[in-house]
Amino acid sequence: MAEKRDYYEVLGVEKGADEATLKKAYRKLAKQYHPDMNPDNKEAEQKFKEVNEAYAVLSDSEKRAQYDQFGHAAFEAGGGGGGAGFGGFGDFGDIFSSFFGGGFGGFGGGDGMRRNGPMRGEDIGARISVTFEEAAFGVKREISYNRICHCPDCGGSGAAKGTQPETCTKCRGSGRMRVVQRLGGMQFQSETACDACRGSGKIIKTPCQNCNGKGLIRVTKKLEVSVPAGIDDGERIALRGQGNDGKNGGSAGDLIIQVMVKPHPIFERDGYHIYCEVPIPVTDAILGAEIEIPTLQGKMKYTIPEGTQPGTDFTVRGQGIPYVNNSNRRGDLIFRVNVEIPKGLSEEQKDQVRAFAGKCHEKNYGKKSGFFKRIFEKFN
């Protein structure tokens, strides 16, 4: 299995990068490797997953701190928890647990390892893809996913209809057994799962045929999800209690939906503001004009002043992305004019341009005259 690359290297940022730098790097790479931009490209798909994984960790302050300290081991089985030393009695107990299968004396897991107490169900992850406009204004989308539910035949008990699980007589329902062992002349006491009930504290003599005594079955569920207006690429929606059902009366987990926003052919997003370039003829830049500009809701008119320079930015208030949970407030649309120089002029048109240029004075070119003035001042 290939070794994972450093998350900072994946995003191309320094280790001390701030949140804004991380987000900017993530947006650039996510757009570059997005499946919609690279159909049937397995390498791009893998890089897209790698970029999302890196950003998911580094954008979370708690996960980032763990990663900075322990690296990838922080999120692997057993990683990030103990460090190099015996941080405390809990870690010391874990070492003896590897020998004896349970907690060490009074310091180990004990009640934390009981399997017959209420256990919360696992969270489930899912993804949905939406367009740029759907993310901006919200959309409802039906998804289908698999979850673990209580068996309807036995009500989650695991026992066949008309029967009930019985309390294990060996462990008296605790699910745990104390074991005493000697090592180097010392006596150690540990706990281990009861071998008769496998730690459940219950014995099922007649298992339910539908779930084979497990009490849980896998089902496919369809659910309508409301994607809120203003959600950004990579953000998550948590639907409480829609994950896997819990055991022994434990609550259900959550369904965590990651929203993937397809790139837009014109707009770029940064927070709640959107950006684009608008090409204009050189004559409009010289004389000023009422031009058409794109917005998320169609075209609109905008008047640019005479003498507009290439690369000038204009801001249209309230034409950006609605704020999440506050659709009355919106970001801005910032567009940059790209002055287009005409090509393929006829000789007559060129003569007209030359005549126009001959009638212009230095005062008409403020940047040019100022540029050369600074040069002459420097060398004279």
Side-chain angles (χ1 to χ4, degrees):
M1 185 175 180
E3 184 177 349
K4 279 190 175 183
R5 287 202 298 155
D6 179 79
Y7 286 151
Y8 293 101
E9 179 185 340
V10 170
L11 296 181
V13 298
E14 298 293 333
K15 189 171 183 180
D18 59 20
E19 184 178 344
T21 303
L22 284 172
K23 180 177 282 190
K24 184 176 180 180
Y26 166 71
R27 288 179 186 279
K28 179 181 177 182
L29 294 171
K31 182 176 181 180
Q32 179 180 347
Y33 296 119
H34 198 285
D36 290 337
M37 306 292 286
N38 302 273
D40 302 321
N41 187 331
K42 295 296 183 184
E43 183 179 354
E45 181 181 349
Q46 186 59 39
K47 287 185 178 294
F48 182 71
K49 293 179 180 177
E50 186 180 41
V51 167
N52 274 284
E53 180 181 323
Y55 184 69
V57 171
L58 298 184
S59 62
D60 185 305
S61 58
E62 185 176 340
K63 291 180 180 178
R64 183 174 180 177
Q66 293 175 351
Y67 178 74
D68 288 345
Q69 185 174 3
F70 302 109
H72 293 297
F75 310 105
E76 297 170 357
F86 291 152
F89 290 123
D91 296 332
F92 194 57
D94 289 340
I95 294 173
F96 281 87
S97 294
S98 64
F99 288 103
F100 303 129
F104 169 59
F107 306 126
D111 293 339
M113 294 184 289
R114 295 173 66 92
R115 296 176 57 190
N116 60 341
M119 296 175 63
R120 181 181 182 274
E122 295 178 339
D123 293 339
I124 301 174
R127 285 184 178 180
I128 58 174
S129 181
V130 299
T131 66
F132 196 91
E133 289 83 358
E134 287 172 338
F137 300 112
V139 68
K140 290 187 177 181
R141 186 66 54 79
E142 186 177 75
I143 65 168
S144 177
Y145 68 103
N146 293 326
R147 65 175 301 209
I148 304 298
C149 297
H150 292 133
C151 173
D153 287 6
C154 65
S157 70
K161 288 183 178 179
T163 68
Q164 292 291 332
E166 299 179 4
T167 301
C168 176
T169 56
K170 189 169 185 178
C171 65
R172 297 181 181 178
S174 69
R176 310 296 297 174
M177 296 183 63
R178 293 188 177 275
V179 178
V180 178
Q181 298 191 30
R182 294 183 177 277
L183 181 65
M186 297 178 64
Q187 179 174 297
F188 297 97
Q189 180 176 277
S190 64
E191 277 194 354
T192 185
C194 174
D195 56 2
C197 63
R198 297 182 180 180
S200 68
K202 302 288 184 181
I203 298 292
I204 299 176
K205 293 185 176 180
T206 310
C208 171
Q209 296 297 310
N210 189 42
C211 64
N212 295 320
K214 296 179 180 178
L216 299 168
I217 59 172
R218 183 181 297 273
V219 299
T220 299
K221 182 174 181 179
K222 290 185 177 181
L223 193 66
E224 186 177 70
V225 178
S226 293
V227 179
I231 198 165
D232 207 349
D233 183 54
E235 291 185 340
R236 293 169 171 81
I237 302 170
L239 300 182
R240 305 302 180 193
Q242 295 297 328
N244 290 337
D245 279 347
K247 296 180 180 180
N248 305 323
S251 61
D254 301 331
L255 174 62
I256 311 297
I257 303 172
Q258 185 177 30
V259 179
M260 312 303 295
V261 180
K262 297 178 181 178
H264 197 279
I266 297 175
F267 297 112
E268 295 278 353
R269 177 177 176 176
D270 186 6
Y272 292 105
H273 301 319
I274 58 175
Y275 299 80
C276 71
E277 281 195 358
V278 177
I280 62 171
V282 66
T283 50
D284 285 354
I286 294 172
L287 302 175
E290 185 180 68
I291 63 173
E292 282 190 339
I293 62 171
T295 74
L296 288 174
Q297 295 167 295
K299 297 178 181 178
M300 70 174 289
K301 300 288 187 180
Y302 191 91
T303 301
I304 60 171
E306 65 176 67
T308 293
Q309 300 299 310
T312 301
D313 290 336
F314 295 93
T315 299
V316 186
R317 302 295 181 190
Q319 286 295 327
I321 303 292
Y323 278 62
V324 176
N325 300 324
N326 185 3
S327 57
N328 294 324
R329 185 183 177 193
R330 292 176 60 176
D332 302 329
L333 162 63
I334 297 95
F335 71 91
R336 176 168 295 178
V337 293
N338 183 0
V339 178
E340 186 174 7
I341 307 300
K343 297 180 180 179
L345 298 178
S346 66
E347 285 302 319
E348 180 183 358
Q349 290 171 321
K350 290 179 181 178
D351 288 339
Q352 291 173 342
V353 173
R354 292 186 188 104
F356 167 75
K359 293 182 180 180
C360 290
H361 304 286
E362 288 295 324
K363 67 178 182 179
N364 299 124
Y365 297 100
K367 289 185 177 180
K368 177 183 175 183
S369 59
F371 173 74
F372 283 106
K373 182 179 179 181
R374 288 194 296 272
I375 290 178
F376 291 140
E377 288 175 350
K378 180 176 179 62
F379 291 102
N380 293 325

